[in-house]
Each structure stands twice: as C-alpha cells, then as structure tokens.
Amino acid sequence: MNSHNKKRPNLLFIMSDDHSANAISTYNDQLIETPNIDRIADDGMRLDHVYCTNSLCAPSRATILTGNYSHENGVRGLSEHFDGSQQTFPKLMQADGYQTAIIGKWHLGHGDKSDPTGFDYWTVFPDQGDYYDPEMIEMGESKVVEGYATDIITDKSEEWLDNRDEDKPFMLMVHHKAPHRPWHPPEKYKDLFNHHDIPIPDTFHDSYQQSNAAKNADMRIEDLKEEDVKQKVPDGLSSQEVKEWKFQRYMKDYLGCVKSIDDNVGRLLDYLDKNHLTEHTIIVYTSDQGFFLGDHGWYDKRFMYEESLQMPFVIRYPKEIQPATVCKEMIINNDFAPTFLDFAGIKVEEPMQGESFRHLLQGKKTGQWRDAIYYRYFEHLTIHNVPAHYGIRTNRYKLIYYYGEPLDVIGAVKKPTTPEWELFDMERDPYELTNEYNNPNYENVIIELKNKLQNVKDYYNDHN
Ligand code: CA
C-alpha cells in the first residue's frame, strides 16, 4: 500500500430504509434488542440529533450522495429521477483512488441518466425491490437472486470485499431494503415476537388538534390494509381493538425485519475484525429517514415531526472517535458527504450545502455549529395526503409552514390546501401534540423564528 493510501480510512456505510431510531436499543430499549448496531455505538459514537431534510426515500438518498437539498439536486419527490452527472461524494472518492461499490437499494431511477455513477461495482434492486428472491441489476444486467434480501446484500458485500484490491482504500455502501413496507421478515423471524405485547407509544391516541395537516393525513394504524398486516382482522373487535390488533401485527413484522438487519450488521462487524480492518475503517449505521411506529397513531414518514425527521446514526472509527460517546448537536443528511470527504482528505470541487462534522465526532466543539436546521417536504398530498411544508427546528422550537401548493413537483397532487402554521415548544411538549402558533405568549418567539426561517431559506437558495 502506498503511503498516501495508508493514511486514508475505508468507509463502510450501512443504511436501511425507514428504520426509526426508536427500534434500535441504543436509542430505546423498549421495543427490540439490537446488539450489533449497539456495538457500533458502544465502540464509537451515537448521534441523537441527525435529521433528514426531506423525509422520503429517494430525496434522502439524493441528498446523502450530493450533500445538497432536494431543490438543488433535483430529487424533490419519489417520481423525480436522479441526474447522475452531478457531483457526488462516491464520484469524488473514486476519482481520488478509492474503490467504490453500492449494493442493495438505489431507488433513484434507472437508465442512462439515473443508473449509479461513481461506483466501480454496483448491484441494486429496481425501484423498491422485493424481500424474497429479488431481481437485482448488476452493472446494468438484470438477474433474480434467490434468498432473503437483507442476507443477500450482506453476502454480496462480503464477496466484493473479498475480491477488492487491498492496496487501495474502499468505500462500500450497503443499502438494505428492510424494514420498508410491506414488512416481510425472514422466515426464521416470522414468529419471533408472537409471545410479546409490543408497548403502545404515548401518542398512539393523538386526536390531531395540531392542524388540518395532521388530521387529514392518511397513514393511520387503523387504516392498514389486510396485505400490510398479512392476516384477516378477527371478528367481533371494537374499532379501538382493531387499531391495537393491527398495531401488534404491523410492529411484529417490522421488528422481525429489524432483527435480521441487526444480525447482518453483526456479520459485517465480524468480517472487519477477522480481516484486521476494524482500526482502519469508518463504519456507519443509519437509515434514510425515521418512521412512525404507532406514534401519533401512524405508520409512514413525510412529516417534519420528530419520529419521521430523525435518522438513527451510529459511527465507529477508533482512530478519531472515543468509545461510548454521544453527540447532541443538530446534524443534517446534507452533512454526510462533506464529512466522508473530509476523512478521506478530498477537496470538494463545487461547494456542497452540508458541513463536515468530523470535529464533532472527535469531541471538539468550535462554538460555531448551526443553531437551526431547515426542512422541506415537497410531495404535496401524494399517497398519504400530507401537504407540502417547510420549517425550521432549533434546540427548543419547531416552526412548520404548510404552504398548500403542489408547485411543479412531479407526482404532487394538483389540489391546493389552505395554508397553516404549527409551532411546537419541544421543551414543554416533546411529543408535538400542542400547536402554540395562536398562543399570544409565543408572539415574540414566532417573530424571531420566522426571521430565522427566511434567513435559512435564503442561505440555502430555496426561493419557492
Ligand atoms: Ca425510506
């Protein structure tokens, strides 16, 4: 290995799909044990305030690759395909001597312009992909692979690592499809939670006084379909009992998928140990956004509410990150790319909208870190009837504006809604149940937050 490469860490980036931090035991030990994901946090750092700037699969992926907001990278919703000719962190790493690969979920479109770029090797699902015997597109060629998706992705990752050039550092993106809807656990975990009652979250019975946006959202647990819960609802249950029965069925399948992810994270950790790569490899576990696990009586994401906004994020790199540390600063998914490039010692050609948080991982505080994050969801009313909105979150408050228009976003429903605002005081109301927007006590807070919101919009060049 030449001396330049010797100094540069490998990056193993493991990302699942729709995995709420609440279903990882280092964040919350009430739902499931995830010893392997926890191992990353125990040997490294757990980040408690990492946020997705547009809580949907494809937009989050485009932001992670480019370091830019949806309005800059062109993927504002699920139907807008990624233009692979733009600058991404895998491309910059590949050009600078890293071996790069992506295995698993891509979900940014296919064809000339949208196939993965910046990767020496890629094998990905078409769109969402299947849990069992999935079709995969390997460097442009389609084939069906037998087995369970989460296991297959790990098998292929190990295979690629086995065959890599050991003289060069690597950057591998392991992208699980699980635990995304339709929540099919592997055969061996189908009955794993059968004898447990999953605890109901505190906001399960939310009566949606916050806004019309919350009231009209179409993602309530009681509306899960038979194909989602995979069994016929028993006869003779009251509407409340049906809601609780569906919650149990939904969560047991979801957690079975998570258990399998955790096993497979363990396999890759063991692989690093066995091959003496642990010291030289940054390993990250995250998810493309959060998810409602019955919180507010919902499944799905999209909203700027905390359970959907927050991404789990644990990271280990023994050379720079102290074990069992926790970071409470506000980080956004735009920051991932600049951080990884910083670790690799690569200069970004065109500036990205995120910032490197390497110093925070090292436990240093500069006093200059951001005091607010900007969020924007564009897919007005699509599928789950959530109106488009933008907003900011500070350490204490969250201000959200549902502006009520589809604009020119592909896939958005062309039906305006009445604009409305929400203000949450996260210190008094961490579950975001009480909208304080019309409370006169918050008048000055609102003026200040609106100024801040305008400033961040200007800063990120989002003028619509
Ligand atoms: Ca997702």
Side-chain angles (χ1 to χ4, degrees):
M1 195 182 278
N2 70 39
S3 61
H4 177 53
N5 281 343
K6 222 173 201 168
K7 286 184 207 136
R8 305 202 297 169
N10 305 306
L11 173 61
L12 178 55
F13 179 82
I14 310 173
M15 182 163 78
S16 57
D17 194 340
D18 293 0
H19 190 179
S20 165
N22 282 327
I24 296 178
S25 42
T26 185
Y27 287 98
N28 169 30
D29 60 7
Q30 299 301 300
L31 292 181
I32 187 172
E33 287 299 316
T34 52
N36 295 296
I37 298 171
D38 291 9
R39 225 172 106 193
I40 301 175
D42 293 344
D43 297 343
M45 186 178 269
R46 187 188 79 215
L47 290 83
D48 284 356
H49 296 281
V50 175
Y51 296 118
C52 181
T53 51
N54 181 356
S55 183
L56 265 188
C57 304
S60 177
R61 286 152 206 274
T63 291
I64 288 168
L65 290 171
T66 61
N68 288 329
Y69 272 91
S70 306
H71 62 274
E72 292 283 340
N73 66 44
V75 183
R76 294 172 298 178
L78 298 179
S79 304
E80 299 195 318
H81 286 184
F82 187 63
D83 179 352
S85 67
Q86 61 192 303
Q87 174 181 267
T88 66
F89 87 83
K91 269 192 198 175
L92 294 172
M93 289 180 92
Q94 185 189 40
D96 207 60
Y98 271 77
Q99 294 166 87
T100 58
I102 181 166
I103 295 168
K105 185 164 173 177
W106 171 245
H107 204 218
L108 287 169
H110 291 285
D112 291 346
K113 269 195 150 177
S114 297
D115 276 339
T117 51
F119 299 98
D120 299 322
Y121 175 78
W122 53 273
T123 182
V124 297
F125 304 127
D127 302 315
Q128 292 287 354
D130 293 322
Y131 274 102
Y132 290 105
D133 302 335
E135 180 191 353
M136 296 193 85
I137 303 170
E138 184 180 24
M139 307 290 284
E141 201 182 308
S142 164
K143 45 184 88 168
V144 171
V145 186
E146 276 179 33
Y148 183 67
T150 310
D151 299 329
I152 292 168
I153 291 165
T154 311
D155 294 344
K156 288 190 176 293
S157 299
E158 289 193 356
E159 206 178 300
W160 183 78
L161 288 167
D162 280 341
N163 293 313
R164 76 191 197 281
D165 174 358
E166 292 188 17
D167 286 335
K168 290 174 163 184
F170 69 81
M171 192 288 287
L172 170 60
M173 303 183 91
V174 179
H175 281 195
H176 290 297
K177 169 214 168 41
H180 191 282
R181 198 179 184 182
W183 312 300
H184 286 297
E187 210 57 50
K188 63 179 172 185
Y189 289 149
K190 274 192 169 156
D191 301 321
L192 187 65
F193 294 91
N194 272 5
H195 302 291
H196 300 255
D197 261 345
I198 310 297
I200 284 169
D202 291 343
T203 58
F204 192 64
H205 301 294
D206 192 349
S207 56
Y208 310 116
Q209 303 300 303
Q210 299 93 330
S211 58
N212 286 321
K215 202 172 294 162
N216 296 333
D218 180 10
M219 50 172 82
R220 295 190 190 179
I221 295 287
E222 61 262 41
D223 297 328
L224 280 167
K225 298 186 173 64
E226 193 175 311
E227 74 226 39
D228 294 317
V229 294
K230 288 127 192 153
Q231 286 175 25
K232 221 176 146 32
V233 180
D235 290 333
L237 299 184
S238 69
S239 59
Q240 194 52 45
E241 286 165 340
V242 169
K243 181 178 174 183
E244 290 184 14
W245 183 89
K246 285 188 175 181
F247 171 74
Q248 294 295 330
R249 278 298 315 126
Y250 155 55
M251 285 300 294
K252 285 171 189 186
D253 284 344
Y254 182 93
L255 295 174
C257 294
V258 169
K259 189 74 190 158
S260 165
I261 292 172
D262 188 66
D263 292 349
N264 279 286
V265 168
R267 285 178 61 197
L268 289 178
L269 288 169
D270 291 345
Y271 183 98
L272 296 181
D273 286 346
K274 214 181 323 160
N275 291 279
H276 312 289
L277 290 164
T278 300
E279 285 294 308
H280 305 286
T281 303
I282 299 167
I283 181 167
V284 170
Y285 180 83
T286 187
S287 170
D288 60 348
Q289 7 69 207
F291 212 67
F292 297 109
L293 302 180
D295 315 282
H296 299 286
W298 289 330
Y299 63 96
D300 213 69
K301 56 248 181 182
R302 294 165 190 267
F303 274 108
M304 198 188 165
Y305 300 136
E306 210 63 8
E307 298 86 353
S308 150
L309 181 68
Q310 186 195 354
M311 308 164 85
F313 194 102
V314 293
I315 181 167
R316 181 183 77 185
Y317 180 40
K319 282 191 177 163
E320 296 194 21
I321 304 171
Q322 291 298 309
T325 45
V326 174
C327 176
K328 302 273 186 197
E329 297 289 341
M330 289 189 290
I331 286 162
I332 51 178
N333 55 343
N334 307 53
D335 300 331
F336 299 179
T339 304
F340 299 152
L341 292 166
D342 188 359
F343 273 113
I346 297 169
K347 280 245 170 311
V348 179
E349 287 165 11
E350 295 161 36
M352 293 175 167
Q353 291 180 317
E355 309 278 343
S356 170
F357 55 95
R358 186 181 180 182
H359 64 288
L360 298 174
L361 298 170
Q362 294 165 334
K364 292 177 193 154
K365 276 203 178 150
T366 62
Q368 296 191 342
W369 195 246
R370 67 169 69 87
D371 62 358
I373 62 128
Y374 178 58
Y375 178 86
R376 181 154 187 185
Y377 170 75
F378 288 88
E379 250 196 11
H380 187 66
L381 304 182
T382 313
I383 311 171
H384 291 289
N385 209 37
V386 176
H389 55 286
Y390 55 73
I392 57 166
R393 185 202 196 282
T394 64
N395 283 318
R396 171 137 186 206
Y397 299 106
K398 194 180 283 179
L399 180 73
I400 305 174
Y401 181 49
Y402 298 90
Y403 53 91
E405 290 177 59
L407 305 175
D408 61 345
V409 177
I410 299 170
V413 176
K414 306 272 177 233
K415 190 181 104 187
T417 51
T418 307
E420 57 183 338
W421 291 85
E422 286 175 336
L423 171 73
F424 297 106
D425 182 338
M426 313 281 295
E427 200 173 287
R428 292 188 175 179
D429 176 29
Y431 291 137
E432 302 164 305
L433 295 169
T434 308
N435 179 5
E436 306 284 10
Y437 189 74
N438 293 314
N439 179 343
N441 294 338
Y442 287 94
E443 205 174 315
N444 291 332
V445 169
I446 290 170
I447 291 169
E448 200 183 306
L449 288 170
K450 282 189 176 173
N451 272 330
K452 224 182 221 321
L453 177 60
Q454 192 53 51
N455 290 343
V456 287
K457 279 180 76 69
D458 290 344
Y459 180 75
Y460 292 123
N461 219 8
D462 185 15
H463 301 300
N464 264 318

